[in-house]
Amino acid sequence: MNLTITGHHLEITPAIRDYVTSKIDRMKRHFDHVIDVNVIMTVEKLKHVVEANVHLSGKDIFVQVEEPDMYAAIDSLADKLDRQVLKHKEKLSSSHQANGGIKHQAVIEQE
C-alpha cells in the first residue's frame, strides 16, 4: 500500500504523519486489497479540510471532511473510509456467493 500525505498551507509534522498512518492502517485491517492512498490536508482560516482518495482493486473511493480541529477531521475521515471500504467488501462478497452460480443451477435442474 502506497500512502501519500500532502499539506496545503500546513506543514506535515511527524506526529500528524504517524496519526494518519495509524488511522489508515485500521482501514487496511478490514480490506487487504488497498493499492494506493492519497491524503490531502488543507487549512483555510478556522476550517481544517482532510481529503482522501483510496484506490482499491476495482474501485476508487473519495472522502472529504471539514472540522474545526485537524485531529477530529482525521478521525471522522477514518470512520467514513472504514464504512465505505466495508460496504465495498460486502458488495464483492455478496455477488460471489449469491446462489453459487452455474454449478448450483445445474444441480437444481438435475433434481
Side-chain angles (χ1 to χ4, degrees), residues 20-39:
V20 170
T21 304
S22 67
K23 293 296 181 174
I24 296 297
D25 283 342
R26 186 177 82 183
M27 176 192 63
K28 191 177 170 187
R29 276 187 287 163
H30 295 295
F31 193 68
D32 291 335
H33 305 293
V34 178
I35 298 170
D36 194 24
V37 180
N38 295 322
V39 179

Side-chain angles (χ1 to χ4, degrees), residues 52-67:
N53 199 355
V54 180
H55 181 66
L56 304 172
S57 57
K59 184 169 181 150
D60 288 334
I61 296 175
F62 177 78
V63 176
Q64 180 178 1
V65 177
E66 290 183 16
E67 293 285 335

Side-chain angles (χ1 to χ4, degrees), residues 2-13:
N2 297 329
L3 176 62
T4 307
I5 302 173
T6 309
H8 289 247
H9 307 294
L10 171 74
E11 181 182 343
I12 303 297
T13 62

Side-chain angles (χ1 to χ4, degrees), residues 1 9 29 42-43 48-49 51 53 60 67 88 98 101 108:
M1 174 180 82
H9 307 294
R29 276 187 287 163
T42 308
V43 176
H48 298 270
V49 180
E51 302 174 357
N53 199 355
D60 288 334
E67 293 285 335
H88 174 67
I108 292 174

